[in-house]
Amino acid sequence: MTATEIAKRRRAEKTAYAINSIEGVPVSEETKRLSSQWVNGELTIEQIKAELVKKYKAKTT
């Protein structure tokens, strides 16, 4: 992963956090941890989605 790609991902992460803030939806610590791993190229978006679906689906059952 290049420094440019990491910078792009970091900007996308900050934008997503800002949108959540505007909408009044706090970002969980778990989501922040996962998104940080995505920024650094450790996880894909698909892996993050799967983790969050698993976490929140378990809470509803």
Side-chain angles (χ1 to χ4, degrees), residues 38-52:
W38 172 74
V39 166
N40 294 316
E42 299 165 14
L43 291 176
T44 66
I45 289 294
E46 291 76 19
Q47 289 170 312
I48 291 174
K49 287 178 187 176
E51 285 295 317
L52 292 174

Side-chain angles (χ1 to χ4, degrees), residues 1 4 7 9 19 28 32 36-39 46 51 53 61:
M1 170 130 345
T4 301
R9 287 183 176 204
I19 291 169
S28 71
K32 289 178 182 179
S36 179
Q37 289 179 303
W38 172 74
V39 166
E46 291 76 19
E51 285 295 317
V53 165
T61 57

Side-chain angles (χ1 to χ4, degrees), residues 4-18:
T4 301
E5 184 62 27
I6 290 171
K8 284 171 123 177
R9 287 183 176 204
R10 193 164 316 279
R11 282 192 305 273
E13 178 186 50
K14 287 182 180 184
T15 300
Y17 291 170

Side-chain angles (χ1 to χ4, degrees), residues 16-39:
Y17 291 170
I19 291 169
N20 276 33
S21 179
I22 290 167
E23 294 292 328
V25 180
V27 179
S28 71
E29 290 304 314
E30 174 74 3
T31 301
K32 289 178 182 179
R33 183 184 64 77
L34 292 170
S35 68
S36 179
Q37 289 179 303
W38 172 74
V39 166

